[in-house]
Amino acid sequence: MSCHRIDELIELLEPVWQKNQELNLAQMLVKLAGEAGFEGELADLTDDVLIYHLKMQQTGEGKMIPGIAKDYVEDYDWKTAILKARGFDEDEIK
């Protein structure tokens, strides 16, 4: 795991851990893994699962996944996009 991922995980973990100060690190990881629906061995828990789960906790229910939200375009015209991808000019499309 690279340093930036460790920093990101610690940054995301800090506010959650502040609310659950009675837990040690292993207990906190078990708690988060359970919340995320992870059922494997704790040794198999990846940083990706923890980071994704902690990010989704912050977004709130019914909100779009952060990685998808940045690319979302409202009222997107799929037909035009497909034709552009195939090399048609916008003037040719209309």
Side-chain angles (χ1 to χ4, degrees):
M1 186 158 76
S2 61
C3 287
H4 79 279
R5 293 189 63 82
I6 293 170
D7 293 340
E8 182 179 16
L9 184 56
I10 290 171
E11 182 181 318
L12 292 166
L13 188 57
E14 184 181 6
V16 176
W17 208 348
Q18 289 294 331
K19 295 176 185 174
N20 300 283
Q21 293 182 9
E22 71 282 357
L23 301 178
N24 64 40
L25 179 58
Q27 291 169 327
M28 177 58 68
L29 293 176
V30 168
K31 178 184 186 307
L32 291 171
E35 289 175 0
F38 182 81
E39 296 177 355
E41 296 285 326
L42 191 57
D44 296 329
L45 180 64
T46 65
D47 55 315
D48 293 327
V49 170
L50 293 170
I51 290 170
Y52 179 79
H53 177 66
L54 290 166
K55 282 185 176 181
M56 289 308 296
Q57 270 187 336
Q58 292 177 355
T59 59
E61 196 168 319
K63 300 267 178 141
M64 191 174 297
I65 297 169
I68 293 175
K70 69 180 176 61
D71 297 325
Y72 178 74
V73 176
E74 197 162 326
D75 298 328
Y76 193 74
D77 181 11
W78 288 99
K79 178 183 173 187
T80 303
I82 290 171
L83 291 171
K84 276 186 178 181
R86 292 187 175 172
F88 290 95
D89 192 319
E90 200 167 317
D91 295 329
E92 293 176 46
I93 295 170
K94 295 181 181 194

